[in-house]
C-alpha cells in the first residue's frame, strides 16, 4: 500500500450506464477482466443501482480488510440479505460487536469441534452409500447436500426427524444456491429464507424455554445462550440467523465436495498421485490438493463493504460511503501472486519448497502465509477480520468426501457434461457430477 503526495487521479469508470447484467453474465471474471482493460486494480461501475468500486489483487485485498477505512454494516445488497445472509448476523457487524460475535464462531469451529463433525460426516457417507443400488446413478451434488445436512444437524444438536431431511436439505441449499440468481430461483431463495428463519427461531426458543443449564453443550445451545457485549441474549431472530450461519455454509461445502471430485477425475494425474502417496506424505498431499481445489475453482465471486471515509490509495481518491466489491476469484488467480495461475498445481502449497525459492519463481507455502492472495473464503485473519471461520470445516468435509471416494466407494463415471458452468452461482459441473456405484458398493 502506498500513499501518494501527487494530486489524486480519477478512478477509471466502466463506460456502461449499468453493468449489473454483465456482472451476472460472467460473475467470476467480471472484475479482473475490466481491471486488466483499465490497467488498474480499481475501477468504478454502476451495479445493482449503485455506483460501486471494484477491487482486485493481493494489494487491494490488504486494503479492503483495513477496518479503519471499510465497514460492513449496510454494505451487502438487499437481495443477498434477504436470502444468503439474513438480517442482524455477524456479516454486517463492525468493530467490537463484530469481534465479540465472531469469537462465538471461532469457538464453534475450533479443531476438536471440527473433528467431531468430520466423524459424523464419515458415518453419514457410509449410511448414504448403504442405500445405493449398484448400477443406479447417484448425483454427487444432491447426495453431498443431504449427507452434510444430516451430519451438521446431528453435530449441532438440531433435531432432524427423518421425514424432514429432504425439506431441510432443500431449504438450506436454496439459501446459497438461488440467492445470486434472477427470477424464480431467487424468489424461491427468499421463500426458503422465511421458512428457514422460522424453523431456526423455533429451535432457539425451544432451547431457551428449557429450565436450568443444558444437559450437554451443543452449537445450538451455545448460540441460543450467547450474549452480546452488553450482556443481553441475542434477539431470537438474530440467534436464528447465526444458527443458519453455521448450518447453511456447512451444507454449501457440497459444492467444494463436487469440485474436489471433479479435480480428481479431470486434472491429469491427481487421482493417481493421491492414491500412490506414501503414508508419511499422504496427509500433506491431501491438504495441498484441497487448498488447490479452493484456489483454482470458483465459489464466491466477491465480497462487499463500504468506505467509512474518503482516503487516497495508490493515487486514487476513494469517496466516503461508497460500496466496494473485492474480487475473490480474480485474486486467487492473480499472476502477481501465483505462477501459472490457470494450472492446477497442488504442490504450490508445499511448505518445503520455499527453501529453494529462486528470483522470479513462485513463493510456495501454506495458506497461512498468503492471507491476502489465497482468499476463497475471504482474506486477513478470521478472528478479527470478516474472513470465514469455516475454512477448517470446509477442508475437513472435503477430506472426508475424498477419502470416501478414493478408498471406500466402488464407482465409475458415466458419460456426462463435466464442463463448469461459470455463469452459475455457485459454479458447478453442468451435470452436477454423476457417479454409478458398482458391485459391492462399499469396498
Ligand atoms: C462452503 C465453503 C465456504 C465458502 C466458499 C465460504 C466463503 C466465505 C466468504 C467468502 C466469507 C466472507 C468473507 C468476508 O466477508 O470477508 C465467509 C464468511 C463467513 N463464513 Fe464461510 N465459507 C464456507 C464455509 C463456511 C462454513 C463451513 C462455515 C461455518 C461452519 C462458514 C461460516 C461463515 C461465517 C459465520 C462468515 C461470516 C464471518 C464474518 O463476517 O466475520 N463458512 N465465508
Amino acid at each position: 500500500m502506498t500513499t501518494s503526495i501527487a494530486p489524486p487521479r480519477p478512478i477509471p469508470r466502466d463506460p456502461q450506464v449499468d453493468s449489473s447484467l454483465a456482472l451476472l453474465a460472467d460473475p467470476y471474471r467480471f472484475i479482473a477482466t475490466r481491471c486488466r482493460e483499465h490497467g488498474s486494480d480499481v475501477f468504478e461501475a454502476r451495479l445493482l443501482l449503485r455506483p460501486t468500486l471494484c477491487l482486485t489483487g493481493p494489494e487491494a485485498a490488504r486494503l479492503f480488510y483495513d477496518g479503519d477505512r471499510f465497514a460492513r454494516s449496510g454494505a451487502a445488497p438487499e437481495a443477498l440479505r434477504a436470502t444468503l445472509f439474513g438480517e442482524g448476523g455477524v456479516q454486517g457487524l463492525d468493530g467490537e460487536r463484530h469481534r465479540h460475535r465472531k469469537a462465538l464462531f471461532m469457538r464453534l469451529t475450533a479443531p476438536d469441534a471440527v473433528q467431531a463433525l468430520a466423524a459424523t460426516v464419515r458415518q453419514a457417507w457410509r449410511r448414504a452409500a448403504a442405500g445405493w443400488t449398484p448400477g443406479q446413478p447417484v448425483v454427487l451434488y444432491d447426495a453431498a447436500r443431504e449427507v452434510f445436512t444430516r451430519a451438521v444437524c446431528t453435530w449441532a444438536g438440531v433435531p432432524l426427524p427423518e421425514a424432514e431431511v429432504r425439506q431441510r436439505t432443500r431449504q438450506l441449499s436454496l439459501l446459497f444456491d438461488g440467492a445470486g440468481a434472477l427470477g424464480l430461483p431467487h424468489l424461491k431463495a427468499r421463500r426458503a429464507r422465511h421458512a428457514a428463519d422460522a424453523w431456526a427461531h423455533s429451535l432457539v426458543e425451544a432451547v431457551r424455554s428449557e429450565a436450568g443449564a443444558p444437559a450437554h453443550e451443543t452449537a445450538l445451545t451455545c448460540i441460543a445462550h450467547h450474549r452480546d457485549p452488553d450482556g443481553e441474549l441475542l434477539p431470537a431472530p438474530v440467534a436464528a440467523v447465526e444458527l443458519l450461519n453455521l448450518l447453511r455454509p456447512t451444507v454449501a461445502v457440497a459444492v467444494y465436495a463436487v469440485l474436489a471430485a471433479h479435480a480428481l477425475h479431470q486434472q491429469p494425474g491427481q487421482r493417481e498421485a493421491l492414491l500412490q502417496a506414501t503414508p508419511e506424505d499422504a496427509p500433506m498431499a491431501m491438504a495441498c490438493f484441497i487448498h488447490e481445489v479452493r484456489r483454482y475453482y470458483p465459489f464466491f465471486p466477491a465480497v462487499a463493504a463500504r468506505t467509512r471515509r474518503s482516503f487516497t490509495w495508490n493515487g486514487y481518491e476513494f469517496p466516503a460511503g461508497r460500496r466496494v466489491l473485492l474480487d475473490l476469484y480474480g485474486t486467487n488467480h492473480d499472476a502477481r501472486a501465483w505462477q501459472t495461475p490457470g494450472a492446477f498445481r497442488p504442490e504450490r502449497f508445499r511448505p518445503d519448497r520455499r527453501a529453494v525459492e529462486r528470483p522470479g519463481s513462485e513463493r510456495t507455502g501454506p495458506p497461512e502465509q498468503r492471507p491476502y492472495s489465497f482468499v476463497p473464503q475471504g482474506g486477513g485473519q478470521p478472528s478479527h477480520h470478516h474472513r470465514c471461520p469455516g475454512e477448517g470445516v470446509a477442508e475437513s468435509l472435503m477430506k472426508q468426501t475424498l477419502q470416501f471416494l478414493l478408498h471406500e466407494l466402488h464407482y465409475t463415471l458415466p458419460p456426462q457434461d463435466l464442463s463448469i458452468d461459470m455463469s452459475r452461482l455457485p459454479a458447478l459441473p453442468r451435470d452436477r457430477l454423476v457417479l454409478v456405484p458398482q458391485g459391492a458398493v462399499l469396498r
Side-chain angles (χ1 to χ4, degrees):
M1 183 175 65
T2 55
T3 306
S4 165
I5 49 163
R9 38 186 180 152
I11 291 177
R13 270 174 190 276
D14 218 21
Q16 290 174 338
V17 176
D18 191 282
S19 304
S20 306
L21 289 179
L23 172 68
L24 284 173
D26 194 9
Y28 295 104
R29 293 172 292 214
F30 173 85
I31 296 180
T33 306
R34 280 161 183 74
C35 278
R36 264 195 305 278
E37 283 165 10
H38 290 298
S40 161
D41 282 352
V42 55
F43 71 95
E44 184 170 283
R46 194 169 166 82
L47 293 171
L48 308 174
L49 308 175
R50 280 167 63 165
T52 303
L53 297 173
C54 300
L55 296 174
T56 197
E59 227 194 307
R62 190 180 289 276
L63 170 75
F64 181 86
Y65 283 95
D66 175 351
D68 288 338
R69 301 193 209 197
F70 295 90
R72 298 300 182 99
S73 71
E78 190 278 337
L80 293 185
R81 282 187 280 119
T83 52
L84 185 66
F85 297 137
E87 298 286 351
V90 62
Q91 291 93 342
L93 301 181
D94 291 301
E96 183 46 34
R97 287 180 74 78
H98 173 252
R99 268 187 293 280
H100 185 86
R101 188 82 61 85
K102 192 66 177 283
L104 166 69
F105 284 96
M106 298 309 292
R107 276 200 306 283
L108 296 175
T109 56
D112 55 337
V114 174
Q115 232 179 345
L117 175 59
T120 317
V121 165
R122 196 157 49 241
Q123 292 308 323
W125 270 125
R126 288 175 185 160
R127 179 186 161 161
W132 295 343
T133 309
Q136 291 294 312
V138 171
V139 177
L140 188 64
Y141 185 50
D142 298 345
R145 286 182 297 128
E146 189 173 313
V147 161
F148 294 166
T149 300
R150 285 180 189 278
V152 73
C153 287
T154 306
W155 168 83
V158 167
L160 184 64
E162 191 56 35
E164 282 183 28
V165 171
R166 282 262 159 91
Q167 176 199 7
R168 299 303 174 200
T169 302
R170 187 169 176 279
Q171 262 166 16
L172 291 169
S173 302
L174 277 168
L175 300 180
F176 62 85
D177 193 324
L182 289 175
L184 191 60
H186 182 76
L187 291 179
K188 284 187 181 167
R190 283 181 183 257
R191 275 208 297 275
R193 168 54 68 178
H194 280 297
D197 275 347
W199 172 52
H201 191 186
S202 70
L203 293 166
V204 167
E205 294 289 21
V207 167
R208 287 183 178 175
S209 67
E210 283 165 18
H216 61 278
E217 208 174 62
T218 62
L220 171 58
T221 62
C222 286
I223 292 171
H225 294 301
H226 181 73
R227 290 173 189 273
D228 259 347
D230 54 13
E232 295 294 322
L233 281 176
L234 298 181
V238 174
V241 164
E242 300 300 27
L243 178 60
L244 294 177
N245 265 337
L246 201 63
L247 305 184
R248 178 202 69 248
T250 305
V251 178
V253 179
V255 173
Y256 271 156
V258 167
L259 297 173
H262 186 273
L264 213 53
H265 294 282
Q266 290 299 97
Q267 303 293 344
Q270 294 301 328
R271 186 166 183 275
E272 296 68 27
L274 289 176
L275 283 171
Q276 288 159 14
T278 62
E280 300 74 50
D281 190 48
M284 174 61 71
M286 177 65 86
C288 291
F289 178 86
I290 288 170
H291 297 326
E292 182 67 341
V293 168
R294 295 195 300 132
R295 184 200 69 84
Y296 175 87
Y297 287 94
F299 196 146
F300 270 80
V303 281
R306 66 179 166 77
T307 51
R308 280 183 189 276
R309 56 180 172 84
S310 61
F311 60 87
T312 306
W313 177 77
N314 279 358
Y316 293 122
E317 180 126 317
F318 283 55
R322 189 60 48 94
R323 181 182 282 160
V324 181
L325 294 183
L326 172 69
D327 175 21
L328 299 182
Y329 179 74
T331 303
N332 283 334
H333 287 255
D334 193 307
R336 291 168 293 186
W338 306 98
Q339 210 173 54
T340 54
F344 188 90
R345 291 180 40 232
E347 61 275 17
R348 63 173 96 241
F349 288 102
R350 284 191 178 261
D352 45 349
R353 288 170 53 108
R354 279 186 323 123
V356 292
E357 197 177 323
R358 290 180 307 277
S361 74
E362 178 178 42
R363 251 192 72 222
T364 60
E368 308 83 78
Q369 292 172 4
R370 311 156 177 262
Y372 297 104
S373 50
F374 181 71
V375 293
Q377 297 178 230
Q381 302 301 330
S383 52
H384 56 285
H385 295 119
H386 280 269
R387 189 183 186 114
C388 179
E391 293 190 274
V393 172
E395 290 180 0
S396 171
L397 270 52
M398 291 167 77
K399 180 172 153 194
Q400 292 306 323
T401 305
L402 284 165
Q403 285 182 333
F404 173 70
L405 293 177
L406 285 167
H407 303 299
E408 297 199 27
L409 188 70
H410 276 293
Y411 68 95
T412 55
L413 287 193
Q416 60 187 293
D417 190 345
L418 285 164
S419 63
I420 306 283
D421 182 354
M422 295 289 282
S423 65
R424 188 182 193 281
L425 287 171
L428 279 170
R430 285 192 163 74
D431 285 342
R432 315 285 183 267
L433 216 134
V434 184
L435 37 96
V436 180
Q438 298 295 310
V441 171
L442 291 176
R443 289 179 211 272

